[in-house]
Amino acid sequence: MSTKQNAVIGLVGMCGSGKSVLTQMFEERGFSKVYFGSLTMEEIAKRGIAKTPENEKLIREELREKHGPAAFAICLADRIEALAKEGNVVLDGLYSWSEYKYLAKRLNVPFYIVAIVTNRGLRYERLSVRTERPLTNDQAYARDVAEIENIEKGGPISIADAYIVNNSSVEDMKAQFEELLRSLDL
């Protein structure tokens, strides 16, 4: 019987950095996914409003106003803990320093932060052509500013246990992913 403990990997990065692609790599390795943005999308659907960058920002900020800066972690913690009892978990889109601190204190399994970083111009280019929720350069910049100033997004990126640089190909990111798994013994 293995004594290896399940782990939770929190993925952090700015919009368009490649968190969803990296999340998929973790899922293909058997990790359960918790998508932080699902709370925003669920609330948009519940209200019957359009999925626009402005409405997404409105909902994100309302949730944080209602539950505090750790809102998404607070609302998802039970789900994360339940999944971590069954296996490894990847968190797609942990945003704030408060969310990081909340989960670091609450979780009783190894908790690693992995930052995925991409040059801004490349992120904006990718965001402009994505099929779901594309953003113009102005919208992407406005989102960056809002996430940095209003959501404490820089903290978890700065304190990450590991970094994946996504300025090249998916194959390059996959190689970095494999090295990350080896280094974390996952």
Side-chain angles (χ1 to χ4, degrees):
M1 184 168 159
S2 175
T3 59
K4 193 173 189 179
Q5 195 173 15
N6 296 332
V8 174
I9 305 290
L11 298 183
V12 297
M14 300 304 288
C15 188
S17 61
K19 294 182 300 294
S20 296
V21 174
L22 188 56
T23 297
Q24 185 175 2
M25 291 178 190
F26 277 101
E27 286 182 289
E28 289 168 358
R29 283 301 192 77
F31 282 66
S32 296
K33 174 178 93 169
V34 176
Y35 174 50
F36 274 44
S38 67
L39 291 179
T40 303
M41 295 305 139
E42 290 165 9
E43 187 62 25
I44 283 175
K46 181 177 158 184
R47 293 185 190 188
I49 59 178
K51 289 182 188 177
T52 65
E54 296 79 16
N55 286 340
E56 289 176 35
K57 177 184 176 195
L58 172 77
I59 299 301
R60 284 191 304 269
E61 291 181 358
E62 282 182 7
L63 285 169
R64 286 186 175 88
E65 186 175 316
K66 180 178 180 181
H67 300 287
F72 284 70
I74 291 167
C75 293
L76 293 169
D78 289 341
R79 188 182 315 176
I80 294 165
E81 287 178 327
L83 289 170
K85 288 179 183 174
E86 304 299 320
N88 293 317
V89 180
V90 61
L91 308 179
D92 181 359
L94 181 137
Y95 289 137
S96 75
W97 180 245
S98 294
E99 290 168 345
Y100 163 75
K101 291 189 308 183
Y102 178 84
L103 290 174
K105 184 181 253 187
R106 178 163 171 172
L107 296 176
N108 291 317
V109 297
F111 178 44
Y112 303 104
I113 297 297
V114 175
I116 183 163
V117 294
T118 305
N119 292 349
R120 182 171 49 155
L122 183 53
R123 283 192 304 108
Y124 288 7
E125 181 182 315
R126 290 173 180 168
L127 288 169
S128 72
V129 297
R130 71 181 181 182
T131 54
E132 189 173 321
R133 299 182 346 256
L135 299 176
T136 66
N137 284 356
D138 289 343
Q139 289 171 322
Y141 181 77
R143 182 164 175 175
D144 280 355
V145 170
E147 290 181 349
I148 292 165
E149 292 181 350
N150 303 336
I151 307 178
E152 315 169 327
K153 198 162 191 180
I157 295 170
S158 299
I159 199 86
D161 297 293
Y163 292 85
I164 293 195
V165 178
N166 184 22
N167 286 325
S168 184
S169 64
V170 173
E171 292 76 23
D172 181 57
M173 189 165 63
K174 177 77 170 171
Q176 292 178 69
F177 168 73
E178 295 297 336
E179 179 55 35
L180 172 70
L181 291 180
R182 281 190 294 278
S183 72
L184 295 177
D185 193 27
L186 296 174

